[in-house]
Amino acid sequence: MLTLTKYSQQGVALVVSLVMLLVMSLLAVSSMNTTVLEEKMAGNYKDRNMAFQAAEAGLRAGETFLRTTPVLPLFDGTIAGLYQPTSSGLPRWNEGVVTWSAAGEVKTYPASTLSDISSPPVYIIEELAPIKDAGGSLEAGVALERRYYRITSRAVGGTDTAVVMLQSTYKR
């Protein structure tokens, strides 16, 4: 029979405790990495949500312009942000057709009401081809066609990397 005395243990407790310390350290590092990743995801979600809200504000500004302007100007590009659709087939809101950072090409939302975004939202309005009303009236002063406008808004969040573009169609 083998008997162990306090002098013959040879440091087994030290080895076991070092292995346990290593396992606990790996668990701690893994949980820290997970927490850091979740923090980044939450920050990116917040940034994208801020960009989305700013783009919504840009859409509403375009709709307000169309609703409150009694006589609309010509949509020929001479006034910043008011265009006809392109004849080339490329969407006007494409980065190659409209320079979203050029003040002479877009309408800018008044930034004083928005906070924590890196730049104010911008938008363009395109006048689409008129559509005749089915069964329209021949009465004087009654429009026989409806005008449709496509509003495209582009906004960024707290950083310039969170970009959101929204579109709506407005009937007047």
Side-chain angles (χ1 to χ4, degrees), residues 116-156:
D116 298 331
I117 57 173
S118 64
S119 63
V122 292
Y123 61 94
I124 62 170
I125 303 173
E126 296 173 89
E127 181 181 44
L128 302 176
I131 298 176
K132 298 215 181 276
D133 279 343
S137 173
L138 296 177
E139 180 182 346
V142 176
L144 295 177
E145 58 188 29
R146 294 288 180 191
R147 302 298 283 187
Y148 289 88
Y149 301 88
R150 179 173 45 223
I151 305 164
T152 306
S153 176
R154 181 184 186 275
V156 295

Side-chain angles (χ1 to χ4, degrees), residues 23-44:
V23 169
M24 290 173 51
S25 296
L26 289 174
L27 286 173
V29 168
S30 174
S31 66
M32 284 176 43
N33 285 340
T34 302
T35 302
V36 168
L37 179 65
E38 288 174 357
E39 286 289 326
K40 286 181 182 178
M41 288 170 38
N44 288 339

Side-chain angles (χ1 to χ4, degrees), residues 7-167:
Y7 301 106
S8 65
Q9 290 185 5
Q10 306 290 322
V12 174
L14 178 62
V15 172
V16 170
S17 64
L18 286 176
V19 168
M20 293 300 291
L21 183 61
L22 178 66
V23 169
M24 290 173 51
S25 296
L26 289 174
L27 286 173
V29 168
S30 174
S31 66
M32 284 176 43
N33 285 340
T34 302
T35 302
V36 168
L37 179 65
E38 288 174 357
E39 286 289 326
K40 286 181 182 178
M41 288 170 38
N44 288 339
Y45 180 76
K46 178 186 176 212
D47 202 21
R48 190 212 172 272
N49 190 32
M50 288 170 42
F52 180 80
Q53 298 299 327
E56 280 280 337
L59 280 182
R60 299 303 158 248
E63 291 172 357
T64 300
F65 173 80
L66 291 172
R67 185 178 63 248
T68 60
T69 306
V71 177
L72 292 174
L74 292 177
F75 284 74
D76 58 359
T78 57
I79 298 176
L82 304 180
Y83 298 103
Q84 294 290 321
T86 62
S87 58
S88 66
L90 284 174
R92 183 161 304 274
W93 45 268
N94 191 350
E95 295 288 340
V97 179
V98 171
T99 306
W100 289 100
S101 59
E105 292 188 35
V106 295
K107 289 188 164 293
T108 304
Y109 183 84
S112 61
T113 58
L114 299 175
S115 61
D116 298 331
I117 57 173
S118 64
S119 63
V122 292
Y123 61 94
I124 62 170
I125 303 173
E126 296 173 89
E127 181 181 44
L128 302 176
I131 298 176
K132 298 215 181 276
D133 279 343
S137 173
L138 296 177
E139 180 182 346
V142 176
L144 295 177
E145 58 188 29
R146 294 288 180 191
R147 302 298 283 187
Y148 289 88
Y149 301 88
R150 179 173 45 223
I151 305 164
T152 306
S153 176
R154 181 184 186 275
V156 295
T159 63
D160 289 336
T161 57
V163 178
V164 172
M165 290 182 72
L166 297 177
Q167 279 188 339

